[in-house]
Amino acid sequence: MAEADTRTRILEAARRLFHEQGYGATGVATILREAGVHPGSLYHFFRSKEELLAGLLEYYPSLFAPIVSRPIEAAEKEAVERVFALLAFYRKGLEESGCRLGCPIGNLALEVSDNHPEVRPLLERNFAMWSGTVAGWLARARLRRGTDLDRLARFVLAVMEGAVMQARGAGSLAPFDAAVAELRRHFDLLQERAGASRARRRKR
Amino acid sequence: MAEADTRTRILEAARRLFHEQGYGATGVATILREAGVHPGSLYHFFRSKEELLAGLLEYYPSLFAPIVSRPIEAAEKEAVERVFALLAFYRKGLEESGCRLGCPIGNLALEVSDNHPEVRPLLERNFAMWSGTVAGWLARARLRRGTDLDRLARFVLAVMEGAVMQARGAGSLAPFDAAVAELRRHFDLLQERAGASRARRRKR
Amino acid sequence: MAEADTRTRILEAARRLFHEQGYGATGVATILREAGVHPGSLYHFFRSKEELLAGLLEYYPSLFAPIVSRPIEAAEKEAVERVFALLAFYRKGLEESGCRLGCPIGNLALEVSDNHPEVRPLLERNFAMWSGTVAGWLARARLRRGTDLDRLARFVLAVMEGAVMQARGAGSLAPFDAAVAELRRHFDLLQERAGASRARRRKR
Amino acid sequence: MAEADTRTRILEAARRLFHEQGYGATGVATILREAGVHPGSLYHFFRSKEELLAGLLEYYPSLFAPIVSRPIEAAEKEAVERVFALLAFYRKGLEESGCRLGCPIGNLALEVSDNHPEVRPLLERNFAMWSGTVAGWLARARLRRGTDLDRLARFVLAVMEGAVMQARGAGSLAPFDAAVAELRRHFDLLQERAGASRARRRKR
DNA sequence: GATGAATGAGGCTTCATTCAT
DNA sequence: TATGAATGAAGCCTCATTCAT
């Protein structure tokens, strides 16, 4: 692991700290210390803490494929199961942290979208990438006729975020598991009479 | 009397400001100014900003019935429609504020649950009241056999929170509407074979 | 000398430091240290460094009579001589400081009037008090017919400020003395044929 | 060649910015941006911001003849009128800028002479060139016997600087005009009995 | 001689809280 | 109990300058 360049070190420190403490609760000084960087350097790359936030939201999409979607796609071939593997990924994060942290993008969406509206398009871009990936997977699933895949993917994202939120509030995985179980039921219903005759492209 | 007034004025100011700006971004000085109160007074009623937060989370449940659930129950008698009236209530809040503000409890859950774990039980109590109310309504609905009402209510809460989050991030109601439409579909499927003939008021 | 109140201690520290170093070159931290005060205290009385500057420019007029004009009026009864005593007061300030410091109001006028236009009225008020005092003195002088006392007083102020400026630039009293000597000549000419017959009110 | 260009671009940027904002309030970064130059380049030509200031004060005299004195000498042949044309030059500067900016040398004299004593000789050199030019003009005027031309020229400079200062403080040309009018009177008195019959072009 | 990243001290201001009246 | 001054740590950011390329 070569010494990352300064800009990336700053982004990585910000990513971790914003995830752990939130945007407002993270001081620039802490980011500097964790990144091993001087104030002037940070402000050389980012004009303000707010632009660092924007930079981070532009950086996140580059992490999604290598860390999240590609491993899932490699491990799981069946479309609907990929969706639940994705939810399991977030469950694991909650479990390992004692129902802390949650979804970094979701956290920022609630914390900063009102006070820093410039970042809204970047938040949306992250949500769109997430739900777009899910929709892409589901294109290969056999679901009831009339299913709107983009809408369904947005729904999955909503369930995930709302489930994570309840788990963090409760300090327990129970509400997360409840929401996911009900989502599973929704998929069961969508698949129930889906393709009596449809040919399956792949098997696993 | 005057005491109760002062305390309530503080709570109301905190409620509004935490909702508009978040907990961390709201300074105690701002709360004082908005409540028309001096520091000594606030610290007479609450030992710290954190205890004010706790006080607010204890105060919120007292607002839920008069402001949220009772008006819905009065206006809508059908169980499932009450659920969607509840979601419409949040949609209206988003619409009127330009996709800002969102759910005050959800915002606090993501912002403070890690850094202030003492308030977790209070957050959970608010979530439980919300989903408990929904579950109570749904007890009178005719849904598929095997439907777990508490689980379904938690699911509704998750969808609402995740839909609000996406709308705030996007600055648009579209993802909210998408998630709610898919939730409607879930209810349709749950009701499909539940009761042979019962009329549904709406379809989409 | 009783311990002055906090606000006055701050103003006195600012007065001295702004005079010695200028407004921009004086850090708030230095003012705090010299006044023996904590940041919150300063910002309790003044909303910003700029408002402290405004407060100082409102404070200055209260010093003019006791420190400047009244001692001169007590020591010197003749009108024109009072004017030159006033100039001598500034000369003494230059002499004792090695041609440094100069006129505190003049310094601020050049340094801040562009970047902080809100203080212009306060600068003007200080200039008006100074020249108003001079004009008041000259009302009792025998000067050529047609002499505009306010205009003459503004002229005296201009000469003083311009003379102080040159002395500070040169690091020498010579240009100051040259300007004052020429101003003396102007007064000599104004008095030359002034009142052949006019009765003198006072003698000394 | 390219070197001369760069150095001059830096000096011109510094001249403009120091005039508009003052020395202390102008950041080196701003100078760099306005000059289109990188830090290393500036520090190649000037060892510090302070040396840039010195360089600027050495550069200024080269601008005085082409921009200030020669145009006046071309337009106005009469000695005393040249002096008032010079004052009109500064008045125009105030008028065009809304009583901002003022005399660049005077501004620097008050701002930097205490904190940067090394530049005092350069300030004095600028003042001496200015008053020397005026004294040179006045050598051809018919003034009262015993008039000390250097002293009178220093006096004119003092009036100009003090008049500019008051105009900037007041945000109005009135005090400038008052001081100049009184200076006109001084010249009138000096010329009164000097030459029996010489016609004056203008009277106040 | 140009480039642009790095340095680290210091800039002004706000924070939640406590104290004296 | 209300008041408003005091506390002192920490907030984000800019400064003039230097370094390696």
Side-chain angles (χ1 to χ4, degrees):
Chain A
M1 201 194 334
E3 183 69 29
D5 71 357
T6 303
R7 203 186 120 99
T8 303
R9 280 213 318 282
I10 295 168
L11 285 171
E12 273 298 319
R15 184 190 59 73
R16 188 161 54 76
L17 289 162
F18 289 173
H19 195 193
E20 287 173 4
Q21 310 182 327
Y23 172 77
T26 299
V28 171
T30 308
I31 299 171
L32 296 174
R33 183 174 3 95
E34 297 288 300
V37 149
H38 295 268
S41 296
L42 189 153
Y43 287 92
H44 177 72
F45 293 105
F46 305 98
R47 288 222 278 265
S48 64
K49 190 189 178 186
E50 200 172 0
E51 287 208 0
L52 168 57
L53 170 64
L56 179 60
L57 288 169
E58 280 165 350
Y59 172 63
Y60 259 118
S62 73
L63 304 176
F64 184 70
I67 293 178
V68 184
S69 64
R70 272 210 296 267
I72 288 172
E73 287 161 1
E76 178 61 60
K77 298 300 176 194
E78 211 278 319
V80 171
E81 295 314 311
R82 281 179 172 173
V83 173
F84 286 90
L86 180 55
L87 298 176
F89 174 86
Y90 286 88
R91 188 186 197 281
K92 197 179 71 174
L94 287 172
E95 196 169 22
E96 288 172 356
S97 66
C99 292
R100 295 175 68 258
L101 304 178
C103 169
I105 307 299
N107 297 348
L108 291 172
L110 291 206
E111 182 179 0
V112 307
S113 63
D114 286 5
N115 299 321
H116 308 270
E118 327 79 60
V119 304
R120 277 180 153 186
L122 300 169
L123 289 165
E124 168 57 16
R125 193 170 131 203
N126 278 274
F127 286 144
M129 154 170 286
W130 199 99
S131 63
T133 301
V134 168
W137 290 342
L138 292 176
R140 306 214 311 237
R142 289 172 299 115
L143 302 171
R144 269 193 190 227
R145 187 181 331 216
T147 300
D148 179 333
L149 292 184
D150 290 324
R151 194 176 91 176
L152 179 58
R154 287 282 177 177
F155 183 68
V156 170
L157 174 53
V159 170
M160 183 277 280
E161 296 287 5
V164 166
M165 176 188 291
Q166 289 180 71
R168 291 184 61 203
S172 148
L173 288 168
F176 182 93
D177 289 335
V180 171
E182 191 68 32
L183 181 67
R184 170 67 80 177
R185 198 174 192 213
H186 184 54
F187 272 93
D188 287 345
L189 292 170
L190 288 180
Q191 293 178 291
E192 210 168 52
R193 334 170 110 238
S197 60
R198 218 188 195 177
R200 196 173 291 174
R201 266 201 217 131
R202 248 181 234 216
K203 273 203 142 143
R204 73 177 296 274
Chain B
M1 197 93 312
E3 173 166 336
D5 267 4
T6 300
R7 205 187 119 99
T8 304
R9 278 214 316 284
I10 294 169
L11 284 171
E12 272 298 316
R15 184 190 58 73
R16 187 162 57 76
L17 290 164
F18 290 174
H19 195 193
E20 287 174 5
Q21 311 180 327
Y23 173 77
T26 299
V28 171
T30 307
I31 300 171
L32 296 173
R33 182 175 3 95
E34 297 287 299
V37 149
H38 293 266
S41 299
L42 189 150
Y43 285 91
H44 172 72
F45 294 106
F46 304 98
R47 293 230 282 263
S48 66
K49 190 188 180 186
E50 199 171 7
E51 288 208 359
L52 168 58
L53 170 64
L56 179 62
L57 288 170
E58 280 163 350
Y59 171 64
Y60 259 118
S62 73
L63 304 176
F64 185 68
I67 292 177
V68 185
S69 62
R70 271 209 297 267
I72 288 172
E73 287 160 2
E76 179 60 62
K77 299 300 175 192
E78 213 275 320
V80 170
E81 296 313 314
R82 281 180 172 172
V83 172
F84 286 91
L86 181 55
L87 297 176
F89 174 86
Y90 286 90
R91 188 188 198 280
K92 198 179 69 175
L94 287 172
E95 198 169 20
E96 288 172 357
S97 67
C99 292
R100 295 176 68 257
L101 304 178
C103 169
I105 307 299
N107 297 348
L108 290 172
L110 290 206
E111 183 179 359
V112 306
S113 62
D114 287 5
N115 299 322
H116 308 270
E118 327 77 61
V119 305
R120 279 181 153 183
L122 299 169
L123 289 166
E124 168 56 15
R125 196 172 127 199
N126 279 274
F127 285 145
M129 153 171 288
W130 200 98
S131 62
T133 300
V134 169
W137 290 343
L138 292 177
R140 289 177 21 199
R142 305 192 51 179
L143 302 172
R144 268 196 192 220
R145 189 178 335 212
T147 300
D148 178 332
L149 293 184
D150 290 323
R151 195 177 91 177
L152 180 56
R154 287 282 178 175
F155 183 68
V156 172
L157 175 54
V159 171
M160 184 277 279
E161 295 288 5
V164 166
M165 176 189 289
Q166 287 180 70
R168 291 184 62 201
S172 148
L173 289 167
F176 183 92
D177 289 335
V180 171
E182 191 68 32
L183 182 67
R184 169 67 77 178
R185 195 174 196 212
H186 185 54
F187 272 91
D188 287 346
L189 292 170
L190 288 182
Q191 294 178 292
E192 210 168 52
R193 328 177 113 237
S197 60
R198 219 185 197 182
R200 280 196 297 283
R201 277 213 202 123
R202 268 195 223 164
K203 242 182 164 156
R204 76 165 301 265
Chain C
M1 199 191 342
E3 183 68 31
D5 71 357
T6 303
R7 203 187 120 98
T8 304
R9 282 213 317 282
I10 295 168
L11 285 171
E12 273 298 319
R15 184 190 59 73
R16 187 160 58 73
L17 289 163
F18 289 174
H19 195 193
E20 287 174 4
Q21 310 181 327
Y23 171 78
T26 299
V28 171
T30 309
I31 299 171
L32 296 173
R33 184 176 358 97
E34 297 287 299
V37 148
H38 295 269
S41 296
L42 189 153
Y43 286 91
H44 177 70
F45 292 105
F46 305 98
R47 289 222 276 265
S48 64
K49 190 188 179 188
E50 198 171 3
E51 287 208 1
L52 169 57
L53 170 64
L56 180 60
L57 288 169
E58 280 165 350
Y59 172 63
Y60 260 117
S62 73
L63 304 176
F64 184 68
I67 292 177
V68 184
S69 63
R70 273 211 295 267
I72 288 172
E73 287 161 3
E76 179 60 60
K77 298 301 175 191
E78 213 279 319
V80 171
E81 294 314 311
R82 280 179 171 172
V83 172
F84 286 90
L86 181 55
L87 298 176
F89 174 86
Y90 285 89
R91 188 188 198 280
K92 199 178 72 176
L94 287 172
E95 197 170 21
E96 288 172 358
S97 66
C99 291
R100 295 176 67 257
L101 304 179
C103 169
I105 307 300
N107 296 348
L108 290 172
L110 292 205
E111 183 179 359
V112 307
S113 62
D114 286 6
N115 299 323
H116 306 271
E118 326 79 60
V119 304
R120 278 181 155 186
L122 299 170
L123 290 166
E124 168 58 14
R125 194 171 132 201
N126 278 274
F127 285 146
M129 153 171 287
W130 200 99
S131 63
T133 300
V134 167
W137 290 343
L138 293 176
R140 305 215 312 234
R142 289 170 301 114
L143 302 171
R144 270 198 191 224
R145 189 180 330 217
T147 300
D148 179 333
L149 293 183
D150 289 326
R151 196 177 89 176
L152 180 56
R154 286 282 178 177
F155 183 67
V156 172
L157 175 52
V159 172
M160 183 278 279
E161 294 288 4
V164 165
M165 178 190 288
Q166 288 179 69
R168 291 183 62 201
S172 149
L173 289 166
F176 183 92
D177 290 334
V180 171
E182 191 68 30
L183 181 66
R184 169 67 81 175
R185 197 175 193 212
H186 184 54
F187 272 93
D188 287 345
L189 293 170
L190 288 181
Q191 291 179 291
E192 211 168 54
R193 332 172 112 239
S197 61
R198 220 188 195 177
R200 196 173 291 173
R201 268 201 217 135
R202 249 182 235 214
K203 272 203 139 140
R204 73 174 297 270
Chain D
M1 196 89 320
E3 173 166 337
D5 264 7
T6 300
R7 205 187 118 99
T8 302
R9 276 213 321 282
I10 294 169
L11 284 171
E12 273 299 318
R15 184 190 59 71
R16 187 162 58 75
L17 290 164
F18 290 173
H19 195 193
E20 287 173 4
Q21 311 181 327
Y23 172 77
T26 299
V28 172
T30 308
I31 300 171
L32 296 173
R33 181 172 9 93
E34 297 289 296
V37 149
H38 294 266
S41 298
L42 189 151
Y43 286 92
H44 172 71
F45 293 107
F46 305 98
R47 292 230 280 262
S48 65
K49 190 187 179 187
E50 200 171 5
E51 288 208 0
L52 169 57
L53 170 64
L56 179 61
L57 288 169
E58 281 164 350
Y59 172 63
Y60 259 118
S62 73
L63 305 176
F64 185 69
I67 292 177
V68 185
S69 63
R70 274 211 295 268
I72 288 172
E73 287 160 3
E76 179 59 63
K77 298 300 174 192
E78 212 277 321
V80 170
E81 296 313 313
R82 281 179 172 172
V83 173
F84 287 90
L86 181 55
L87 298 177
F89 174 86
Y90 286 89
R91 188 188 197 281
K92 199 179 71 176
L94 287 172
E95 198 169 18
E96 289 172 357
S97 67
C99 292
R100 293 176 69 259
L101 304 178
C103 169
I105 307 299
N107 297 348
L108 290 172
L110 292 205
E111 183 178 359
V112 306
S113 63
D114 287 5
N115 299 324
H116 306 272
E118 327 78 60
V119 305
R120 279 181 152 183
L122 299 169
L123 290 166
E124 169 57 15
R125 195 171 129 201
N126 279 274
F127 285 145
M129 153 171 288
W130 201 98
S131 62
T133 300
V134 169
W137 290 343
L138 292 177
R140 289 176 19 199
R142 305 195 47 183
L143 301 171
R144 271 198 189 218
R145 188 178 334 211
T147 300
D148 178 333
L149 293 183
D150 290 325
R151 195 177 89 177
L152 181 56
R154 285 283 177 176
F155 183 69
V156 172
L157 175 53
V159 171
M160 184 279 279
E161 295 288 6
V164 166
M165 177 190 289
Q166 287 179 70
R168 291 182 61 203
S172 150
L173 289 168
F176 183 92
D177 290 334
V180 171
E182 191 67 31
L183 183 67
R184 169 65 80 177
R185 199 174 192 212
H186 185 54
F187 272 92
D188 287 345
L189 293 170
L190 288 180
Q191 292 178 291
E192 210 169 53
R193 325 176 115 234
S197 61
R198 219 189 196 178
R200 284 198 294 283
R201 275 208 205 131
R202 267 198 223 166
K203 214 148 192 190
R204 83 164 307 256

